[in-house]
Amino acid sequence: MIMSTTGTAWRRIADDLAASIQRGDFAIGASLPTALELASRYGVHRHTARQAFRHLQDLGLVSVEQGRGTFVTGKPFPYRIGRQVSFRQNFAAAGIETSGQVIASEVVEAGELVARAILVPEGTLVWAIRTFNLAAVLPISTAMHYLEVERFPDFATVLRRESSSVSAALKVFGIDDYQRLATRLSARLATPTECELLAISDGAPVLTSEGLDGLADGEP
C-alpha cells in the first residue's frame, strides 16, 4: 500500500491500528509494529507513523515507551464509582488481571486536609503510603493512601504482605467491609514521577480520584 504523506495519512494508520486492537488482533501488553515498519508498509515517513502512535496514546489505546516500543493498553471500559469501590474488582469485572505493590511508605504529620477528612487533630501521625498498580502487566495507576498510625499500626508492612490490596489489609485490622463516603474526580497533567511510573509521555493527561472511605455508620 502506498499513501501520500499529506492530509490524513497518519489518521488512516491510526484507524487501522485501532480497529485491529478492537478486534483483538493485538492482546493487551502486546507490542505494535515499529514506526519504521509502518512507514514501509504504508509508504510514508516514519514521523507520520509516530503521529499515529501519539493519537492512539491520546485515546488511551497504547502506551509509548521510549526505547522499548509501543504497547497495547486495551480498550477503554467503564470504571464504576459507587459506595463499594475496589480497583481490583472493577478490573476483574472487565476480565483483566491486576497486581500491585507498595513503592514508598512513611509516617508523617497530618496536614489540614487529611486531618479534616479522617477526623483527627492536625499534626496526628498518619501513614502516607504510595502504591503502584498494573492491569494485564501494564502500569495503570498510582495512589497515595493516608491512615492514622495509632489505629493501624504497621499498616505498611501488612499492606505489602497482602500484595498491596487495601481491602485485604483492612481485614487484618478487623474491618471486613467498608464503603466510599465521598469521591471527587478531576483531570490534570501528569507529574514527572507519574509519567515515569505509568510509562506515559510528558504532559499526558491523567484522571485523578480523591476518595474518602469509611464504615457503614459513616465513620472515616
Side-chain angles (χ1 to χ4, degrees):
M1 179 183 298
I2 302 298
M3 296 179 59
S4 169
T5 57
T6 62
T8 59
W10 67 266
R11 186 59 183 263
R12 175 65 184 279
I13 298 172
D15 287 347
D16 285 351
L17 290 174
S20 294
I21 293 171
Q22 296 289 336
R23 287 195 305 266
D25 295 344
F26 296 97
I28 295 176
S31 61
L32 293 180
T34 67
L36 284 176
E37 290 171 336
L38 288 174
S40 175
R41 181 185 306 175
Y42 285 88
V44 299
H45 195 279
R46 65 179 183 276
H47 294 311
T48 302
R50 287 172 181 165
Q51 187 175 0
F53 284 153
R54 287 193 294 270
H55 179 68
L56 293 175
Q57 182 171 249
D58 290 340
L59 294 177
L61 294 177
V62 304
S63 171
V64 180
E65 301 182 25
Q66 189 67 31
R68 294 193 61 229
T70 302
F71 300 89
V72 176
T73 56
K75 298 179 290 186
F77 66 91
Y79 190 85
R80 296 171 298 174
I81 297 294
R83 289 294 184 184
Q84 300 297 324
V85 179
S86 171
F87 169 85
R88 300 191 182 203
Q89 289 178 4
N90 275 343
F91 277 85
I96 300 175
E97 184 178 353
T98 62
S99 61
Q101 55 184 299
V102 176
I103 58 177
S105 64
E106 61 178 330
V107 174
V108 300
E109 293 185 353
E112 179 184 358
L113 292 179
V114 172
R116 185 169 67 242
I118 63 176
L119 302 181
V120 298
E122 192 170 345
T124 297
L125 296 182
V126 297
W127 290 107
I129 303 174
R130 180 177 285 278
T131 58
F132 174 62
N133 299 302
L134 301 97
V137 308
L138 291 174
I140 194 70
S141 71
T142 181
M144 286 295 300
H145 304 274
Y146 297 95
L147 304 96
E148 186 181 4
V149 171
E150 183 177 358
R151 187 173 185 181
F152 301 100
D154 209 24
F155 188 85
T157 300
V158 173
L159 187 59
R160 286 189 175 92
R161 191 174 68 222
E162 298 297 332
S163 302
S164 84
S165 169
V166 173
S167 298
L170 288 175
K171 286 182 179 181
V172 174
F173 291 91
I175 298 178
D176 293 326
D177 191 28
Y178 65 96
Q179 62 186 21
R180 179 56 55 89
L181 302 180
T183 301
R184 185 174 71 175
L185 300 177
S186 60
R188 57 172 172 76
L189 300 182
T191 66
T193 297
E194 290 165 345
C195 288
E196 181 178 358
L197 286 173
L198 302 177
I200 56 180
S201 59
D202 293 342
V206 291
L207 173 71
T208 66
S209 171
E210 296 181 34
L212 177 64
D213 298 325
L215 303 179
D217 62 3
E219 179 187 359

